[in-house]
Amino acid sequence: MTQRSAQKMMTLIQSVAEKDDNIRAIGMEGSRNNPAAHQDQFADFDITYFVKDPTPFRQNDDWLNVFGERLMMQKPTGALFSGTMQPWYPYLMQFTDGNRLDLKIACVGDMDAYLAAEHLNTVIFDKDHPVQAQPETSDWDFHIAQPTEEDYQDCVNEFFWVSLYVMKGLKRGELLYANQYMETPVRAELLKMLEWSVGVNTNFQISVGKNDSRLKDKLPTEDYDKLIETYRLDSAAATWHSLQTASQLFIETARIVADQLGFDFPEYPAHVIAYEEKVMGESSAVQPQK
């Protein structure tokens, strides 16, 4: 099936609203409103219908069929969306032609809160107050935030504290335990420090994208290569090598951030690394990879 164009999708989205008196306005948000985002066939259509009464839209899903043949859908049922995005009701739809529509139903009275929530949120159609011109959108809300000294020290502390859990798991032969700590707290803090390094080089005026999607373009090639090297976790030896690589990259990056922002880099990371190397060296079962 040929994928419908962005123009066809937007025409369809507006025509549905025009034909339904309950729908009073359309909001658009997300990457398609972001001038800094790369647009391709996978970009979602993030749309909000502002309605007088949301009840009819929640009674059944038949009204959604007009948007096309769905491959699958998520909506706020059960624990998956428990307590989230209320009172805005989302339908996340993937269509068989490749398009994806993330459609929220919100009350008309929520429009001011919607516009105030993010600089990417705009009203593109309004039956009651016709929009004369589109406001300029910006990804300002997603720019890398400059850390405080406390933020910085907490990041360093968390990285090296949790690295000890990774080491412990490896020594116990518990690879899944070690990898879960490596993937969540350790990697999260490493990515945070790398983001800050990009921030200090750009005066904290850019975003690196959702889930660091554009981090590759902002890092020195050698740093990005080291980061990718840390993703191999398919054996105890690989995870140990990844932890060592991550620790080295973290320290190098953290020193740069500290120098640029006038923060103190603590002494204990070097001691933690020495301790981990000593403990891991006591067993021949786990050796760093070359």
Side-chain angles (χ1 to χ4, degrees):
M1 179 182 294
T2 302
Q3 185 167 357
R4 290 166 290 175
S5 68
Q7 183 178 357
K8 285 186 177 181
M9 287 295 295
M10 292 305 300
T11 298
L12 173 60
I13 288 165
Q14 182 162 329
S15 69
V16 171
E18 289 174 342
K19 295 173 184 177
D20 191 333
D21 184 65
N22 195 2
I23 302 173
R24 306 310 301 169
I26 304 174
M28 185 171 178
E29 60 273 2
S31 63
R32 288 189 180 271
N33 258 9
N34 185 355
H38 172 68
Q39 301 296 329
D40 62 15
Q41 68 189 88
F42 300 108
D44 302 342
F45 292 87
D46 296 295
I47 299 294
T48 299
Y49 279 163
F50 292 97
V51 304
K52 292 185 294 185
D53 180 10
T55 305
F57 299 97
R58 304 185 185 190
Q59 291 176 339
N60 64 68
D61 300 334
D62 291 346
W63 72 277
L64 297 168
N65 295 336
V66 67
F67 293 110
E69 183 180 2
R70 294 190 299 273
L71 180 66
M72 66 173 295
M73 176 173 68
Q74 276 193 349
K75 61 180 183 177
T77 57
L80 184 61
F81 286 92
S82 178
T84 64
M85 301 182 74
Q86 295 298 325
W88 301 348
Y89 196 89
Y91 293 95
L92 313 181
M93 294 173 281
Q94 174 69 52
F95 300 105
T96 56
D97 74 341
N99 281 307
R100 171 170 162 154
L101 172 60
D102 291 355
L103 177 62
K104 294 190 293 294
I105 303 299
C107 293
V108 172
D110 294 330
M111 195 179 300
D112 287 343
Y114 167 84
L115 291 172
E118 290 181 7
H119 286 73
L120 290 178
N121 293 0
T122 57
V123 174
I124 61 173
F125 175 74
D126 192 332
K127 294 177 181 177
D128 303 309
H129 306 91
V131 179
Q132 299 300 319
Q134 291 302 309
E136 183 178 351
T137 58
S138 168
D139 65 352
W140 181 87
D141 300 284
F142 304 99
H143 286 182
I144 301 165
Q146 182 170 336
T148 64
E149 172 89 23
E150 183 178 13
D151 294 333
Y152 174 85
Q153 297 297 343
D154 286 348
C155 178
V156 176
N157 186 275
E158 180 72 355
F159 179 94
F160 286 100
W161 178 257
V162 181
S163 74
L164 293 167
Y165 285 72
V166 179
M167 178 208 70
K168 178 169 64 175
L170 293 175
K171 287 295 291 184
R172 288 174 170 172
E174 299 170 346
L175 183 60
L176 296 183
Y177 173 98
N179 283 351
Q180 288 189 43
Y181 279 106
M182 181 70 192
E183 282 290 1
T184 309
V186 170
R187 191 178 308 287
E189 300 306 322
L190 173 59
L191 288 170
K192 186 186 298 181
M193 190 62 71
L194 289 169
E195 290 170 7
W196 288 340
S197 73
V198 172
V200 299
N201 289 327
T202 59
N203 199 27
F204 294 94
Q205 294 299 305
I206 69 166
S207 163
V208 289
K210 186 176 182 180
N211 299 117
D212 293 303
S213 59
R214 300 199 299 272
L215 185 60
K216 176 183 178 181
D217 301 328
K218 307 301 179 183
L219 288 178
T221 301
E222 57 271 24
D223 287 353
Y224 181 76
D225 289 344
K226 289 179 183 177
L227 173 63
I228 295 303
E229 196 175 336
T230 69
Y231 281 86
R232 184 174 175 186
L233 305 172
D234 57 346
S235 68
T239 298
W240 171 232
H241 177 68
S242 294
L243 179 61
Q244 289 180 301
T245 303
S247 297
Q248 178 191 27
L249 178 57
F250 187 95
I251 286 180
E252 292 171 355
T253 307
R255 289 188 183 278
I256 293 172
V257 173
D259 288 344
Q260 292 294 319
L261 297 180
F263 297 160
D264 291 326
F265 182 77
E267 295 182 1
Y268 64 82
H271 301 313
V272 171
I273 289 175
Y275 171 76
E276 289 173 344
E277 290 177 347
K278 178 178 180 295
V279 172
M280 294 301 292
E282 292 173 357
S283 170
S284 60
V286 178
Q287 295 297 329
Q289 293 182 337
K290 300 296 185 184

